[in-house]
Amino acid sequence: MRREELAARKAELEARIAAHRQRTAQAAAEWRESVRPVDDAWRTLVRWKVPLALAGGAILWRLGRRGTAQAALKWWGRGLGVVEGVRLAHKLLAGKSGGWRDRGTA
């Protein structure tokens, strides 16, 4: 009798685990669907990052040769350096080569 009880308990637990996995997969699919526009916008921004940075730098450079444009260019360059430094630190501390992109969906 004990063996049958254990087998029934095991079957119940396996059914609960399967149901939980199904709910989790459904919730993950809903989440991916709801954040898809944000992800698409982010990919577009990343794809155009370098041309936008170059265009912004060229516009600032053409604004004039006064101190304001050059100061803005200096801060622009510093900002890019800080962003790249943060990305590098994140990669090193996370121990992964691609940061958040290396995280799996499972």
Side-chain angles (χ1 to χ4, degrees):
M1 183 91 177
R2 178 79 174 138
R3 198 171 281 231
E4 291 85 16
E5 290 175 4
L6 289 176
R9 175 78 172 140
K10 180 179 178 182
E12 177 191 346
L13 289 174
E14 287 176 347
R16 287 176 60 190
I17 290 170
H20 185 264
R21 283 182 181 163
Q22 186 177 12
R23 285 192 311 268
T24 304
Q26 183 180 4
E30 290 173 2
W31 173 259
R32 282 190 299 270
E33 188 63 34
S34 64
V35 298
R36 185 179 313 273
V38 176
D39 287 340
D40 292 342
W42 179 255
R43 281 190 214 102
T44 301
L45 179 66
V46 167
R47 185 178 17 210
W48 289 94
K49 175 176 61 173
V50 173
L52 288 174
L54 291 174
I59 289 170
L60 287 174
W61 182 72
R62 290 294 296 159
L63 283 176
R65 300 191 189 273
R66 296 183 184 167
T68 56
Q70 281 142 3
L73 280 174
K74 182 171 71 172
W75 283 104
W76 179 264
R78 286 181 184 170
L80 288 176
V82 168
V83 168
E84 291 301 318
V86 168
R87 286 183 60 217
L88 178 62
H90 178 52
K91 286 180 186 179
L92 293 174
L93 293 176
K96 299 182 181 205
S97 62
W100 63 271
R101 291 180 214 167
D102 282 345
R103 295 187 189 137
T105 57

